[in-house]
Amino acid sequence: MAQALDVNPYTLYDTAGRDASEMMELLFWLDEFNPAALHLFLSRKFLGEKCNEVADTSVYYHDNDSWPAHAPVCMWFDYGVLNDFLKEWVVRMNELKSGMITRDEYFEWKINWPKTCDRCGKYEPKKQWRKNF
């Protein structure tokens, strides 16, 4: 069926019931098999006026409408290939937010990933997903 629809087979896996607790289970298993890969920490509300006036290494968030009302939990991965995958996802999210790509193109990128992966512009993807390319 995936071939007929021209999508990644993982896209068709049953996602019924997928919720935050399933995501937690995935992260727990990642932590179990790669204990040094996952890092969680709480961010701190930025109280200063200039972004570079704080000398510590905390991650700060600004208390405005772009952020949640509570301190967000942050996560980073010391897991090279996963980190690379997430970097490209950040690029695609920013392209969507800026209007460089459409919601349809963004969806096409996701449902055909990793064939649509270009390693943040370093390579030609195996499958074209942008309409204007």
Side-chain angles (χ1 to χ4, degrees), residues 8-132:
N8 183 328
Y10 290 120
T11 302
L12 301 177
Y13 283 1
D14 181 18
T15 58
R18 298 253 169 125
D19 58 14
S21 57
E22 266 192 66
M23 176 58 74
M24 290 296 293
E25 289 295 330
L26 288 170
L27 293 172
F28 290 156
W29 284 112
L30 173 63
D31 184 50
E32 192 63 29
F33 291 113
N34 296 291
L38 182 63
H39 305 271
L40 296 169
F41 58 95
L42 293 174
S43 60
R44 295 172 47 187
K45 185 187 293 186
F46 182 71
L47 300 174
E49 292 184 25
K50 295 180 182 177
C51 289
N52 62 353
E53 71 183 54
V54 179
D56 69 22
T57 58
S58 297
V59 172
Y60 290 89
Y61 72 97
H62 288 274
D63 189 16
N64 61 36
D65 291 341
S66 297
W67 290 87
H70 49 77
V73 174
C74 302
M75 178 181 343
W76 66 274
F77 300 92
D78 189 7
Y79 187 4
V81 68
L82 179 59
N83 207 42
D84 289 344
F85 294 161
L86 292 171
K87 283 180 190 176
E88 184 166 347
W89 194 4
V90 169
V91 168
R92 299 301 165 240
M93 286 179 152
N94 288 334
E95 287 175 341
L96 178 63
K97 286 178 190 172
S98 72
M100 288 178 61
I101 62 173
T102 65
R103 170 123 335 248
D104 288 344
E105 288 172 318
Y106 179 65
F107 184 70
E108 185 74 19
W109 175 80
K110 289 192 296 184
I111 65 172
N112 283 291
W113 189 91
K115 288 183 179 179
T116 52
C117 179
D118 69 0
R119 303 223 24 215
C120 298
K122 294 178 184 173
Y123 301 101
E124 192 66 29
K126 292 178 182 171
K127 177 171 180 49
Q128 282 300 327
W129 54 276
R130 293 179 191 241
K131 292 179 184 173
N132 296 329

